[in-house]
Every structure is written in structure tokens, then in C-alpha cells.
Amino acid sequence: MQNWIPVLLCMLLPVSLLLAQETVTGSFEFDGQERDFRLRVPPSSFDGARPLVFNLHGFGSNAFQQEAYAQMNPVADTAGFYVCYPNGISNAWNVGWTFGSTADDVGFISALIDTLAGQYSIDPERIYACGMSNGGFMSYRLACELNDRIAAVASVTGSMVPAYVSECVPGRPVPVLEIHGTEDATVPYEGQPLLAISIEELLAFWNANNSCDGDAAISELPNTNSTDASTVSFIESEGCADRGDVWHYRINGGGHTWPGSPFAIGVTNQDINGSAEIWHFFSRYTVSGLSSSADHPEPVRLALFPNPTRGQAEVILPESGGELMVVNAAGQPVIRQLIEDRHVTLDLSAVPTGVYWVRARQGGAVSIGQLLRQ
């Protein structure tokens, strides 16, 4: 379900990405086995208890590769939350398939929450889970069985196992976000017998669980990157119970890939950034109610064009004032400038080609976008 990523990442990873910054590793024994994880710690400028996001790797992959592939760390560094990348047994998560892992991964994630909470200042009301492929399947299992601790979940290219659906009785509305490409050949959008229900069935299940009225608002997002062979439709279910939103980013023409990843393996959409969109969704919720963003501003998308750029790029900001920063894939700032107007011109002609994050801090608000320098 993702077994092509490990080999290609080893071939493509630049040295700057291999040298992860502010990421710690840890392990503990659970159920008679040594379980390990990687943890991205927020900058020290963020005080108080912080949110925690689990980001789960795909089948055949691992925590290190998922950290590099999803590129969630820059979003976490900006918004001030922890990201934990656990390792599954035999590079897999137990989601109900007849193959892969048979480990008690729900119990492991619960124990991992306890372990991290004993060492770091983590807000128990703001713990979330997302994942790629097999990791997305696992996120849904956590929504079914651990939603007393997990506030919301997101899946990228994942689904639910047909035989497991009848076993999922969440007992409450659980906010869910699904990001999926219509041309995904590994976890097909139309589903696959015995392995995955269709995305239409998946959304219908969570609409029913969350008491949505069956209608959906559909909007087409701007095609800001004309070279990625895909577009994005945003589908939001309507009339859902309190705290039970069901969101879907349909990547039209997209493959089995994480939008916004700098590793364009197959059709990878660059109109949105999967990691930023996931946090934008998560930051709305707590286990017991809708979240107040007063002490943890959620990033919103920046308008960047042209994207890709060969030198200059225009940035449209929510307001004037503040600071703009351009950060490379290793988390190192390459441009800093004060914001005097809502329209800013960035000159990237002196920076190397590659993927960059553009962050704007304006008062208590944070805006973020990804820019490709060709």
C-alpha cells in the first residue's frame, strides 16, 4: 500500500532533509515488543500545553521516511504542535487485513500518548491522528476505537477495510478529513474487494455516524500549479452534528501521493499542501468541543503566483503588517522581510531550485504556503 516510497526516498532524499532538526527519538516496551517513534518538538517560543499530531506511515514504509515525505514539520514549527511519527511492526499497521501486522496498534497508540504526556507538555484535549495509505486506514481505526483520546482524524490515500466497517461503532461524531486522488492505483477511489471500501462509501459511513444531512457543498480550488496534472475539489458535508464535520479533498487526476510533498512520485498535486490542510482541519476541534484558536492560530493558505516560479513570485496576504519568511526544506530561513502591504513581491532569483515554505506572521494569525523554485 505504499511499498514504492521507501526505495525512492532513499534515492531522492537530499542531505539537508536527512539531517532532521529538533526531532528526538524514543522507544518503550509494549505487549512484549520494543516500539519506537520519532517526535518533532515545537520551538521553545511556544509556552503551555501544546497539541499532538500522530502521522502514521504507509505499508512498507517507516517513521523516518514518513517524516521526510509528508513534510509536516514546517507546519508544526509554525503553529507550535508536536508531531509524532511512530513505527508499525514489520512496517505495517493492523487495520483488519489478512496480511501485514497483527499487533495491538490501538493499544500501542494509547500507551504512546501516556508515554509522551509523561515527558512533554501535551494538551490531552488536542490530540489528533493522520496517516498515509495504511496509516490512513489506521487513523480511521483510531477514530472508531480511541476517539475518547483522539479529537479528529485525517487520511491521505487511505480508506477502511470492508470487513472492519461493521465493527466500527464510534459512539460519538468524529471529525474526519479524507484526501484522495481519483487515479490512485494502490487504494482505488472506487474501492477494492476485501481491501478497501470506495471513497463514496467511506464518506457515506462517516456522514451517517456524524448525523450529516446527506447534502454536500462542492467548490473547485484555484489551479495555482498548472504543471502537476491535477486539480482539487473541496467537498464539505452539510448539517453534521456538532464537532462532526466530514471534509474531503478530491484530487482530480491525483495518484497515490501526499499533496504538497516535494517528492513528486507519480501525480502529486501542488495546489494544496496536505500537511497544512490537515492542521487547518485539526485545529478546529478538541475531544470535548470546538476549539478556540485564541492561543494556537491555525495556518491559512497563502495565495502565491506564479507557482512554480523561476525567480519572482507575488504573495497576497490577509492584511498588511507583520513578517514574511521563506524557509527551505531543511527548515532554514533563506529570506526574511517586513510586510508593509497586502501584496508582496518575493525575489527568489538568488536561491537554489527546490521546494520552499512561505510563512507570514501577522499579529496572532499565521499564513502558510508552499512554493516551487525552478
Side-chain angles (χ1 to χ4, degrees):
M1 289 287 173
Q2 199 190 356
N3 54 8
W4 40 264
I5 286 181
V7 174
L8 288 177
L9 276 182
C10 290
M11 296 169 59
L12 296 174
L13 273 176
V15 173
S16 59
L17 283 181
L18 290 171
L19 300 176
Q21 297 176 345
E22 299 178 25
T23 299
V24 299
T25 59
S27 65
F28 64 97
E29 185 174 314
F30 175 78
D31 215 12
Q33 293 180 295
E34 192 75 10
R35 303 298 300 263
D36 63 316
F37 59 90
R38 299 174 63 81
L39 181 71
R40 183 72 169 195
V41 178
S44 58
S45 56
F46 290 97
D47 297 325
R50 307 307 307 163
L52 168 65
V53 174
F54 289 104
N55 195 322
L56 309 174
H57 62 74
F59 187 85
S61 186
N62 60 43
F64 177 79
Q65 292 162 351
Q66 180 64 12
E67 181 180 13
Y69 181 60
Q71 285 290 288
M72 184 170 275
N73 290 351
V75 181
D77 294 346
T78 300
F81 60 90
Y82 293 89
V83 190
C84 182
Y85 305 90
N87 273 311
I89 297 295
S90 301
N91 303 102
W93 301 104
N94 180 3
V95 298
W97 291 326
T98 58
F99 58 92
S101 175
T102 59
D104 176 12
D105 285 323
V106 174
F108 164 57
I109 295 298
S110 184
L112 182 50
I113 292 173
D114 293 336
T115 298
L116 296 176
Q119 300 177 35
Y120 300 94
S121 182
I122 291 170
D123 186 345
E125 285 283 309
R126 294 186 285 162
I127 300 176
Y128 314 92
C130 67
M132 169 73 183
S133 192
N134 184 201
F137 281 77
M138 187 64 208
S139 294
Y140 284 123
R141 184 156 195 173
L142 295 172
C144 298
E145 301 181 34
L146 199 64
N147 61 66
D148 60 329
R149 310 193 76 180
I150 302 291
V153 303
S155 162
V156 180
T157 74
S159 182
M160 295 174 68
V161 179
Y164 176 71
V165 173
S166 62
E167 299 179 26
C168 178
V169 185
R172 75 164 177 94
V174 183
V176 299
L177 165 64
E178 175 67 28
I179 302 175
H180 214 106
T182 59
E183 302 303 314
D184 188 329
T186 305
V187 182
Y189 199 89
E190 298 77 17
Q192 190 171 7
L194 303 180
L195 295 180
I197 62 174
S198 71
I199 302 308
E200 182 178 344
E201 293 174 283
L202 176 81
L203 297 175
F205 173 87
W206 288 105
N207 282 335
N209 182 77
N210 294 2
S211 300
C212 306
D213 62 18
D215 295 324
I218 304 176
S219 57
E220 305 303 321
L221 300 190
N223 185 20
T224 58
N225 189 308
S226 60
T227 66
D228 61 7
S230 60
T231 60
V232 182
S233 300
F234 174 56
I235 303 170
E236 181 180 6
S237 298
E238 298 183 329
C240 302
D242 184 35
R243 297 185 294 117
D245 294 331
V246 178
W247 286 14
H248 175 38
Y249 286 96
R250 185 181 67 207
I251 312 301
N252 305 304
H256 193 67
T257 52
W258 188 287
S261 174
F263 303 101
I265 306 165
V267 177
T268 302
N269 182 267
Q270 299 293 339
D271 299 322
I272 64 171
N273 181 279
S275 293
E277 297 299 341
I278 287 170
W279 176 247
H280 173 73
F281 179 73
F282 283 168
S283 63
R284 299 161 50 89
Y285 311 102
T286 68
V287 170
S288 59
L290 289 172
S291 177
S292 169
S293 60
D295 67 333
H296 54 286
E298 63 179 58
V300 296
R301 288 188 300 272
L302 281 176
L304 302 166
F305 60 92
N307 191 4
T309 179
R310 295 188 180 278
Q312 290 192 335
E314 302 297 318
V315 185
I316 300 179
L317 299 158
E319 58 187 70
S320 59
E323 183 186 47
L324 193 68
M325 183 187 303
V326 179
V327 180
N328 64 20
Q332 302 163 329
V334 296
I335 295 175
R336 289 179 184 266
Q337 65 185 70
L338 296 178
I339 299 169
E340 297 181 355
D341 188 72
R342 288 188 59 238
H343 295 259
V344 176
T345 299
L346 283 176
D347 185 3
L348 288 90
S349 57
V351 303
T353 59
V355 176
Y356 293 86
W357 292 84
V358 182
R359 309 176 191 170
R361 288 186 181 273
Q362 299 179 292
V366 178
S367 304
I368 191 167
Q370 194 176 66
L371 186 64
L372 178 61
R373 163 78 166 94
Q374 290 186 332

